[in-house]
Amino acid sequence: MNRFYVFNGDADGVCALHQFRLVDPAAANLITGVKRDIKLLDRVEANPGDLVTVLDISLDSNRKGLMRLLEEGVRVEYFDHHHAGEIPQHPNLTAHIDLSADACTSLLVDQYLKGKFHLWAITAAFGDNLVQKARQLGATAKLTETEIDQLARLGEYLNYNGYGDNLPDLHFHPTALYEEIRPYANPFDFIAESNAFRKLAEGYQDDTSQADSLQPLTTDERYAAYLLPDAPWARRVSGIFANKLANAYPQRAHAVITPNHAGNYTVSVRASLTNPCGADVLCLQFNTGGGRKAAAGINHLPTGSLDNFVSSFKQHFCS
C-alpha cells in the first residue's frame, strides 16, 4: 500500500500533516502548493488499496479528483473545514468535515488523534486567525501568557509563508517548511532552535511594516477594502494583513486585493469577528471563489471585475 498526504500549504495544512506524521512517520508521498493552490487531488496518481489523507482543502473544489480516486478503489480520509457541498456517500471515503466558524483542520486532526500533539493544533488555530479559540485552548492547556503569545507568533509566521501567487513568492516551499518542522514534537523547541523560524520572523516583520503604511480603497464602520501593489512582498503578506485588520477592527469586514502573476487579482476576505459569517457566500458568487464562513477568497478576479467585486463586498457586509 502506498501512502499519500495531500495538504494545504498554510499553517493549518502543515500543522495537520505534522500531527499525523509524528504518529506515523513511514514513507509517504506529499502533495501540496501555495495556500491558494487547492485543486490538489488532480495530481494524485494512486492505485487500488492505497490510502490518501486530505488535509485542509475544499472537498467541493476537489470533487472531480476525489470521485476519480474513490471509483479507482483508493481509500480516502478527508479532514477539512471549508465549503464542501454535498459529501459523497462512498465506502472508500471517511470524511471529517466541520464548517463551524471556530473549526480548523488541525483541530479536527487533534480530536482524531486524541490530543497527542495538541500544541501544534493550537499553533494552527492561531495561524487560521481563530485567536479567541486558540487562546482558550492555550489557557485550558495551562500555558503561560508568554507561551500562548509564542504559539500565536509561530502560527502567524507559518500561515504567512503559505501566501504567494506561486512557489517562488514564498520563503519556503511548504514541503520544505514541513521538513524543517518535522524533527520537533514540541513547537517551543522549534521556536528556540530553528533557523527557519528566525527567517520567517524576519520576513514577516519586513513585509508587514510595508503593509502598515497602506490606505484603504474604500472604508466605513462596517467594511474596508485594500488594494495592494504588484510586488512579491504584497502577495506574501496579503492573508496576514487581512487577519491583522480583522483583529484590529473586529466590527468590520475586510477585503485585501492583490495583483497576481496571471494579470488578475487575488482576493482575501474576512468577515467581522463580531459576526464571523458570510465570507464564503460572497466569494462563491465569483468564479474561483471559495473558503469558509469567517474567511474566504477568490483566486483569480479579472481586473475588469474589480468594481463589481467591491460593490458586492460593500453591499454584502453593509448591515
Side-chain angles (χ1 to χ4, degrees):
M1 180 193 77
N2 293 315
R3 192 78 166 84
F4 295 81
Y5 290 95
V6 183
F7 64 102
N8 196 304
D10 68 355
D12 197 16
V14 171
C15 290
L17 171 71
H18 186 40
Q19 291 176 79
F20 264 115
R21 300 284 286 149
L22 284 168
V23 172
D24 180 11
N29 301 281
L30 306 183
I31 298 173
T32 188
V34 298
K35 180 178 176 64
R36 299 276 183 178
D37 191 0
I38 59 171
K39 291 188 177 181
L40 297 176
L41 288 186
D42 290 342
R43 303 182 195 172
V44 178
E45 296 297 333
N47 297 311
D50 288 348
L51 176 60
V52 177
T53 300
V54 187
L55 303 167
D56 201 40
I57 57 173
S58 163
L59 188 153
D60 198 45
S61 297
N62 285 273
R63 188 175 302 277
K64 181 179 178 181
L66 172 62
M67 296 310 300
R68 172 181 62 85
L69 292 170
L70 295 174
E71 294 304 321
E72 289 175 354
V74 177
R75 293 179 296 134
V76 179
E77 52 182 9
Y78 214 116
F79 294 79
D80 190 45
H81 64 126
H82 299 92
H83 174 72
E86 183 178 353
I87 299 174
Q89 301 300 308
H90 196 286
N92 289 335
L93 175 64
T94 303
H96 305 265
I97 294 177
D98 185 347
L99 306 184
S100 303
D102 65 348
C104 71
T105 300
S106 283
L107 291 177
L108 297 179
V109 172
D110 182 53
Q111 294 171 8
Y112 181 76
L113 298 179
K114 304 187 186 310
K116 288 184 178 178
F117 302 101
H118 188 52
L119 297 184
W120 282 108
I122 295 174
T123 299
F126 275 119
D128 245 21
N129 204 39
L130 302 178
V131 175
Q132 183 177 359
K133 175 80 169 182
R135 288 196 171 275
Q136 290 172 347
L137 291 172
T140 301
K142 301 190 183 308
L143 300 179
T144 67
E145 281 300 314
T146 298
E147 290 172 330
I148 291 172
D149 288 342
Q150 285 181 304
L151 294 187
R153 286 194 297 273
L154 175 57
E156 289 177 1
Y157 297 164
L158 296 179
N159 209 49
Y160 153 76
N161 183 75
Y163 280 92
D165 190 35
N166 56 22
L167 291 169
D169 279 342
L170 310 185
H171 292 293
F172 293 92
H173 187 293
T175 301
L177 182 57
Y178 161 68
E179 290 296 335
E180 294 285 345
I181 293 170
R182 185 169 60 88
Y184 299 97
N186 189 314
F188 293 114
D189 293 336
F190 176 77
I191 292 168
E193 301 172 13
S194 172
N195 289 327
F197 176 80
R198 286 185 281 279
K199 180 176 179 179
L200 289 176
E202 291 170 2
Y204 177 92
Q205 297 302 329
D206 289 344
D207 289 352
T208 55
S209 66
Q210 296 190 72
D212 287 341
S213 64
L214 297 171
Q215 297 299 313
L217 185 67
T218 181
T219 185
D220 79 357
E221 62 184 14
R222 294 156 295 182
Y223 57 77
Y226 285 76
L227 180 61
L228 274 59
D230 186 359
W233 72 262
R235 289 186 284 273
R236 285 194 298 266
V237 83
S238 60
I240 293 297
F241 184 51
N243 290 344
K244 190 174 182 180
L245 291 168
N247 292 324
Y249 305 96
Q251 306 278 346
R252 287 192 332 203
H254 294 88
V256 174
I257 306 157
T258 313
N260 60 37
H261 291 296
N264 302 315
Y265 292 114
T266 299
V267 183
S268 294
V269 175
R270 301 291 181 271
S272 69
L273 294 183
T274 56
N275 185 24
C277 60
D280 55 344
V281 174
L282 171 67
C283 292
L284 285 166
Q285 296 176 25
F286 296 85
N287 190 28
T288 74
R292 52 192 174 88
K293 295 177 181 180
I298 305 168
N299 289 341
H300 294 283
L301 179 74
T303 54
S305 299
L306 177 61
D307 290 344
N308 180 35
F309 168 76
V310 172
S311 176
S312 298
F313 168 72
K314 291 162 67 173
Q315 183 177 4
H316 192 73
F317 291 110
C318 69
S319 59

